[in-house]
Each structure stands twice: as C-alpha cells, then as structure tokens.
Amino acid sequence: MAAFLYRLGRSAFRRRWTVALVWAAVLAAVGLAGMTAPEAEEEPFAMPGIESQEAFDLMEERFPGAAADGATARVVFVSPNGEKVTATENKEAVEAAIAELGDGTQVASTVDPYESGAVSENGSTAYTTVTYKVDAAGLTDASRSHLDESLEHARDSGLIVEAGGDALEDVGGPSGTAEAIGISVAAVVLLITFGSLAAAGLPLLTALIGVGISLFAITALAGPLGLADTTSTVAIMLGLAVGIDYALFIVSRYREERANGWTAQEAVALATGTAGSAVVFAGLTVVIALAGLSVVGIPMLTEMGLGAAGAVVVGVLIALTLVPAFLGFWPNAILTRKARRANRAGGTPRETRKVNGGTRWASFVLRRPLPVLLAAVAGLGALALPMTDLQLGMPGDEAKSTNTTQRRAYDALAEGFGPGFNGPLTVVVDAKDADDPKAAAETVSERIGGTEGVVSVSPAQFNESGDTALFSVVPTTAPTGQETKDLVNTIRGDRPGIESAAGATFEVTGTTAMNIDVSEKVQSALVPYLLVVVGLAVILLLVVFRSILVPLKAAAGFLLSVLASLGAVVVVFQQGHGADLLGVETTGPIMSLMPIFLVGIVFGLAMDYEVFLVSRMREAYVHGERPAQAVTSGFRHSARVVVAAALIMIAVFSGFIGDSDAMIKMIGFGLASAVLLDAFVVRMAIVPAVLALLGERAWWLPKWLDRILPRVDVEGEALTRPDEPEAEAAEKDLARA
C-alpha cells in the first residue's frame, strides 16, 4: 500500500498539469450535468416494513387520488377578546378571507369551516384547509405571496390569523451560511496551524473542489433517483470536513519530510505513501459506516449515507492525487518562513524541535495513565447518563420557533380543539371479505371510539367499491406524548378482538402513527447496525495495526464518545438545558433517525482520528522505538494536526446549528459535540493512557493470525526497508525518474 501510494504521489507531482486538468474536466462535466439536470421531484417519505406504511399503501390502492401530493395550508382563525368566530362580523371576515385564499391560480379547493364543522366547541377558533394543485416544491413565488397577502388582509379585520402546512415550508436549497461559517473558521485554524497562507489555502481549495464535484453529482442524480434535499446537505457537511482534514494530513506530512531534508518530489511521494495510507484507511472506515446505513432499511437514511459516502470517496481521491499535484505547483510556498529562508540561502532545513505541546501532553499522560483514564471515562459516562431518558419522535410544527406562524397555528389548534387535534390517527378498514362492509366499519369505529384516550372518531368514508373505509381518531394527548404512543399500542393490541367482532381487518396510520413506527424500527435496527459496522471496522483496523487490543480499544472509545454526544443532545434538545443559546425554543423528543445517523457518521470520524494518531505510533514502534517512546513520537508528529483537524470539523458542523431545519440543527450539534469529545477526550486522553498501561501487549498479535492477515503497510515500513519487494520496486522507479 505505502509503496503504491508513494509512486502515485510522485507521479501526481511530476504530471501535475495532467492531474489538475483531469480534475478540472471532471468538475466541469459533473457541473454541466448538475446544472442541466431536470429538477428533482421530492419523493414522499416512505418506511417499508411498518404497519403505518402498509396502511398508507392500501389507502393509495383503494382510494386512487385520495393521497394526492398537492400542498396544503391550514389557516386558523381565532376571535379576539373572548368573541366568537360565529359572530356576524367575524364570520363575514372569515368567509371573505376564504374567498380570497381560493382565488389563487394554483389553488385547487378551500373548505368553509361553518359548513364542515371546523369550529371549536367554545366558538373561539375555526380553521380552513387550502389545497393546491401542485406539491410544495411546485408552488410559485406568486402563490406564496398570494397566501401571505391573504393572511395579512384577514388580520386587518381584527382576527388572529395563523397558518401551517407544507405550503409554508421553505423548499429552497441550503443557504450557504453554515458552509461559509465553517470555511471561515477552518481558514483561521489552518493559518494558525501552518503559519502560511498557501499552506492554509491548499486544503480549503481542494476540499471545495471535492464538495463541488459531489454536490453537482448528487444534483444530477437527484431527479432519476428521487434524492431528498438532506442528501446534498449531509454530503456537503461531511465532504467539506473530511476533504479539509485529509488534505491537511498530506500537507503536514509533506512539510515534515521537507524539514527532514528531502526534495519536494521525494517529500510529496513520502507524504502520500505514509499519511496517504492513513487517509485511505480512515476514508474506508467512514465509507463503511455511512454505506452501512443502508442495512437499516430506511430509504431516506440510505440516500443520505450513500451520498455522504460518495463525497468522502471523492475527498480521498483528491487528497491522494490533486493535493500532491498542487504541491508540485507551489513546492516552497507551503513551507514555513524559516524553511523558505533556508532554501533561498542554499541550506537544508531540518527539524530540530523535539519537544512540543503534543510531547508534553503525552508525557503527562504516560506518567499518570490510570488517573487520566478513570477521569476521562467517568466524565464521558456522566455525559452519557441522560441517554437513559432518550425519547424518539419526529418533531413537527411544535418544535418550530414561536416567532413562526406555523408554531402559532399549531398552538391555536391545540388550545381550541385539544392537543390531540394536531396529530389525528387514521384507521383504514379493509372490509373486502366482510358480509356487510358498512356494519364492519361501524363496529371497528365504535370499539376504537370507546378506547380510553380517544376524544372523537369521524364518520367513516368509503371508497367507490364500498369495500374499504377510512376514519380519523383524535387522541386526548399531543402527537409526541408518551400517552399517544400508548394509545396506538393499545388499539393495535386490541386488534384481534375488534377484527373478530367486525369480520374485517384494520390498520392504523397517519403522521403520528408513522412517527411512532419509525422510532420503534430505528431502535430495533440500532444494535444490528452497530454489530455490522463496528465488526467490519474492527477487522479493518486489525489489518491496519496488526494488533487485537488496539482495534477493540478504538471501538470501546467510540462507544463512549457517541453515547456521551447523544447524552448531550438529550440534555439540550429534550431536557432544554442551554437550548436558548442554540435557538431551540421548544424541546421534545429527539428525531427518530438521529441516534443511528449519529452513530454512523461519528464512528467513521472517530476512526479517522484513531488511524491518523495511532498509525504514527505504530510507525515509530515498527521502526524500533519502545511502546512509551512510540506514544510520545506519535503525539509529537500528529497531536497538533489532529487538534487542528478536529477544530475544523467542529467548526464545519457547528455552522449547521444555525440552520432553520430542526433535523439539520440537531445533526450539526450532535456531530460537533461528538467530534469534540472523541478527539479531545478519547483520542487525546484515553488512547495514550490505555497504550501506556498495555505496553508491549498493545501490539500483540497471535502468530497464526499474523500469517493469514494481508500486509498493507500503512506505516510505510517498506519505504525504508530495502529487503521488502515493494521497496525495491519503489527504489527502481525513483532511479528511473
């Protein structure tokens, strides 16, 4: 591996114009494909294998057109000062507003609340539903403006008017603010780390090229594959973070080799052969973790994982080819001022500094390994404790800011019609085999209506064939409440008796039931996913480090950091501590997909730091240093760069905390806290402490296993040992050059 990458890096250096032009051509090609690709149609959220999805599919089959994907706006009218919306003046204002709302060019229909019974019992609140001919993405700016203007005109009458629904959702792409914040902070970190504008700018430039290629590719494929907007957002987030980090490690190793007296070409080759090997295996662990999300069986999660994995692959390829090529264009500009002065004076710069912050920290941990280990584990354990209170759900309008009309509409409906009104259950009765379908549906309706926790049941609606019925069930509690989840489970638990009495079958669906089913499916899939991903990564690390204990230690450290980060998410987004600082005005259940998505991404990133840091320790150990010396050497060469890489990732992820989308905000916070904990607690404290306690045993591998494992030479041993066949080939290539 090292010798192959050595030759690859040297070839990229020598043929830098060719490499640069190839990547420019790739960027231009995918850019053209992305810009000319038809606009993607947003695919409806689907979750195979759960009851609510099966019921929805049955609805689409038996009620053709009933599940149309036209956008909707639910407009809520609240009378002021204790008045009634049924009062003559208020009623006229409501009807005038409905008439104006119905005048929109894309409006399909509106509903009169006084005819449909959409007025609260106390007469304070009424609502209408505006249905559009197109989905939310197809709404024109004119239609959105018409909706806003109609709401303002209705407010002028003195009524309190708010609106919710997907017609008000912002369907535009990412604003770019998060990326700009992340890039700005990354630039500052790189400038401080390298002390050179060229060295700081190179990782940013190559990362942006990689993100551009990935984003255009996803845009081009979004239409044919029906990819969601979150696919590109997560790909940008991860592509930018790993793209900067992987280039950072190559550039850092290049400067180190130049300081050791090598020429620019040889330094690039050595940097690609050593740091590049770590990049390859670090990238593989990230790809395994992200691609492994497909085993969960959630289409949206699969799309996000594969899209982000593709961005990581592009980042690895650019780090191994384009970064060495750019180093060929600016071989000296990347160096420190001291090194450039030495070059101009005709001297050979050499690294003389043996003690730095990394060695001092390593020495501190090596002197006190047990206290450091216990303190780090105890701290992470304390942070992980709130995980025991984790509640999963899919936050809706109730999680939005009270400054939004959607949230105020949600609150007004809850106050006027009860908290369960915002999350009704939909029951689908399949009476195809019943002797009397209407009687069967009535029996199901009566039995469910008598269940404790149900406020009301709507009249059943039959399809044209008369063999399938639908009715809504309004719970007494809010959609995200535990009581509502218990109610759904109770109704499903009573199914055998109800179906026996009715002579027909039924299923429960609706947004609330869908969210409950998704949460349960994610929870049941988490352990199998962990076993698959962690198992594959441990095998990969076993090959990389040729040790049994180091991969197991890496996996254990990851579990600590991910549990602690999930605990931090619970503290902020569920319990509300510090929520105001992040713009989280309403707390509630954690997004159902969050734990498994966080596990997938954080595992890959955690293994990044493990490979980068421990590979330098392994390299020193293979080259003859004692275990304690190898730990110190690894920190001397890698600690500063790992810290910089972690700060860059934290900056990139933190930028997404300001996103208005609750899902992206939560992901950004979770990833930023996970990287912080993993890099600075697990990798910087637990790793050296464990290695110090293990000593020689850390690198133990049974002889039989050593014989069957493939040798990948991540530490570049073949580049310095002429008796290795790969090294001989590398030397011959160097002589020919």
Side-chain angles (χ1 to χ4, degrees), residues 61 108 131 185 194 238 339 350 355 364 404 521 569 605 637 734:
E61 177 189 341
T131 305
V185 176
F194 287 130
L238 276 180
R350 288 192 175 274
V355 177
F364 171 81
T404 64
K521 180 167 184 175
V569 170
L605 299 181
H637 293 297
L734 183 59

Side-chain angles (χ1 to χ4, degrees), residues 712-735:
V712 295
D713 189 23
V714 173
E715 61 276 354
E717 185 182 2
L719 300 180
T720 56
R721 287 176 55 184
D723 55 319
E724 293 286 346
E726 286 186 332
E728 292 176 4
E731 290 297 331
K732 289 177 182 178
D733 288 343
L734 183 59

Side-chain angles (χ1 to χ4, degrees), residues 276-352:
S277 298
V279 166
V280 168
F281 282 96
L284 276 176
T285 58
V286 179
V287 169
I288 287 173
L290 292 172
L293 290 171
S294 58
V295 306
V296 180
I298 302 175
M300 186 179 76
L301 205 57
T302 299
E303 293 171 6
M304 293 166 65
L306 293 179
V312 172
V313 170
V314 172
V316 170
L317 294 176
I318 283 181
L320 298 178
T321 56
L322 190 58
V323 170
F326 279 173
L327 289 173
F329 288 121
W330 303 288
N332 294 325
I334 303 296
L335 304 178
T336 63
R337 292 180 181 178
K338 179 180 178 181
R340 291 198 298 271
R341 285 196 300 267
N343 280 332
R344 286 194 295 267
T348 301
R350 288 192 175 274
E351 183 63 57
T352 57

Side-chain angles (χ1 to χ4, degrees), residues 622-636:
V622 167
H623 292 161
E625 293 188 11
R626 301 293 300 165
Q629 291 176 309
V631 171
T632 303
S633 294
F635 269 82
R636 179 171 63 249

Side-chain angles (χ1 to χ4, degrees), residues 356-435:
N356 58 21
T359 56
R360 285 191 290 270
W361 172 251
S363 299
F364 171 81
V365 176
L366 290 172
R367 289 195 302 270
R368 306 169 182 84
L370 191 57
V372 169
L373 177 62
L374 293 176
V377 171
L380 292 176
L383 276 175
L385 277 178
M387 262 286 293
T388 57
D389 189 38
L390 176 67
Q391 297 176 11
L392 298 181
M394 292 294 283
D397 285 346
E398 77 280 3
K400 288 184 168 63
S401 166
T402 52
N403 294 325
T404 64
T405 186
Q406 295 99 316
R407 169 62 188 280
R408 293 195 295 268
Y410 178 96
D411 292 342
L413 288 170
E415 183 176 350
F417 296 90
F421 185 80
N422 283 296
L425 307 174
T426 300
V427 176
V428 186
V429 181
D430 185 357
K432 195 171 185 178
D433 298 327
D435 296 332

Side-chain angles (χ1 to χ4, degrees), residues 42 103 159 297 305 345 413 422 442 472 515 518 547 559 711:
E42 190 75 18
D103 286 339
L159 292 171
L413 288 170
N422 283 296
E442 185 177 346
S472 294
N515 293 341
V518 169
S547 162
L559 290 174
R711 294 187 177 273

